[in-house]
Amino acid sequence: MKCPICNKQSKVFDVRHPKNESKRRSRICENGHTFRSYELSEERFQELLDYEKYYFKVQELSRTYDS
Ligand SMILES: [Zn+2]
């Protein structure tokens, strides 16, 4: 995975796997930027998509009521 800041190659220096949660990786690039990456299970990913749809729906509705 490339660094989102400078686009250099990065490596993992810490992995956490909380119970019932997606795996969290702390990564560091050649320039010392640190960032996190998440590993999502298919199930969890679907949940997030559904959540997003719901969120946009709510936004849509509130916009309708505003005008
Ligand atoms: Zn970087």
Side-chain angles (χ1 to χ4, degrees):
M1 187 184 264
K2 289 196 171 148
C3 173
I5 299 157
C6 65
N7 226 30
K8 292 265 184 193
Q9 213 42 255
S10 69
K11 61 182 180 189
V12 176
F13 72 93
D14 190 24
V15 180
R16 259 166 233 179
H17 202 166
K19 249 187 204 168
N20 304 323
E21 275 281 335
S22 48
K23 199 183 265 184
R24 240 174 279 168
R25 288 193 173 125
S26 297
R27 305 184 72 103
I28 187 162
C29 82
E30 290 169 17
N31 288 330
H33 301 127
T34 55
F35 58 99
R36 291 210 171 87
S37 65
Y38 296 89
E39 215 169 78
L40 296 174
S41 65
E42 195 93 342
E43 218 173 282
R44 186 88 181 99
F45 186 66
Q46 198 53 51
E47 255 174 52
L48 285 176
L49 282 183
D50 289 345
Y51 176 75
E52 205 154 278
K53 271 181 234 152
Y54 176 72
Y55 180 78
F56 283 120
K57 193 80 199 156
V58 169
Q59 289 243 307
E60 230 170 77
L61 285 174
S62 59
R63 215 173 296 144
T64 314
Y65 285 123
D66 273 349
S67 52

